[in-house]
Amino acid sequence: MYTQLLATLGVILGYFVVFGLVRKLIRSLGQVKRVPAQRVIYINKYFNGLCIFTTLVLVSLIWSVDYSNLMLFASSIFAIVGVALFAQWSILSNVTSSIIIFFAFPARIGHRIRILDDEETIIGEIVEITFFQVLLRGEKGETIAYPNNLLLQKPVILLSNGNSNDSPKSRIEPFKLP
């Protein structure tokens, strides 16, 4: 019983250490990529949920929760997440795409992009990147909501006008976290 308590305390302490390191990594990455603070908060919430889930699984294993029920639960969750990651119109697919956009997409808020869609070419300035969609300001001032998962599937061209004073980085407000 004491070993289980100590192991549980170790896992909980590990959660705080790992999440603290992940939070610092995401924050520094956000500063390097000049990502707005609200976006960094979204990504931190996502990884916090992932860390909490992992901690709960580890604690349940320490306290000898019935493995067959745990494996059934875990396989069900993995099946749902697996389908969601690959389903084109899934909400989780957009959330996952949002995470990928945060870490790997070359365009940032303030950049002008052209999306080569089958039906229509979309041109606009990125105004906001949320968990589900990228909001663009079109050439006529209209707001265009484009799903994150489609943004990763379609060719995207970064547009620039060659004027260094009007570069997208100069229009992004400084990074601040509360």
Side-chain angles (χ1 to χ4, degrees):
M1 171 115 169
Y2 290 115
T3 56
Q4 288 175 321
L5 283 174
L6 286 175
T8 302
L9 287 174
V11 167
I12 292 172
L13 180 64
Y15 158 77
F16 287 111
V17 169
V18 168
F19 181 65
L21 292 173
V22 168
R23 184 175 50 210
K24 285 181 184 178
L25 175 69
I26 292 171
R27 186 175 189 167
S28 65
L29 209 86
Q31 289 174 335
V32 167
K33 292 188 171 209
R34 300 184 57 122
V35 176
Q38 187 63 31
R39 183 95 176 104
V40 172
I41 291 170
Y42 287 149
I43 301 299
N44 274 329
K45 286 180 182 179
Y46 176 80
F47 279 102
N48 186 27
L50 190 63
C51 287
I52 287 173
F53 177 75
T54 304
T55 301
L56 290 175
V57 168
L58 290 174
V59 168
S60 67
L61 289 174
I62 290 170
W63 287 94
S64 301
V65 173
D66 185 17
Y67 291 115
S68 62
N69 290 339
L70 182 62
M71 293 309 281
L72 177 65
F73 175 73
S75 64
S76 299
I77 293 296
F78 286 133
I80 291 170
V81 170
V83 168
L85 293 179
F86 297 107
Q88 186 174 9
W89 292 105
S90 170
I91 291 175
L92 284 178
S93 174
N94 282 315
V95 172
T96 305
S97 297
S98 171
I99 302 300
I100 294 169
I101 288 170
F102 176 79
F103 286 110
F105 198 66
R108 300 281 168 240
I109 293 176
H111 288 175
R112 289 189 49 77
I113 62 171
R114 178 185 307 146
I115 303 168
L116 303 175
D117 203 344
D118 294 337
E119 293 106 27
E120 181 179 352
T121 298
I122 299 169
I123 298 174
E125 177 182 346
I126 299 175
V127 177
E128 180 69 36
I129 302 172
T130 67
F131 263 161
F132 303 108
Q133 60 202 3
V134 173
L135 298 177
L136 303 168
R137 182 176 304 118
E139 294 177 317
K140 298 176 185 172
E142 72 275 16
T143 300
I144 304 165
Y146 201 78
N148 289 336
N149 59 355
L150 292 181
L151 191 67
L152 293 179
Q153 294 175 18
K154 305 291 181 181
V156 175
I157 299 171
L158 295 175
L159 302 175
S160 64
N161 59 10
N163 185 356
S164 62
N165 292 335
D166 195 33
S167 69
K169 287 186 177 180
S170 66
R171 291 181 284 178
I172 298 173
E173 57 187 64
F175 181 87
K176 297 176 194 165
L177 270 179

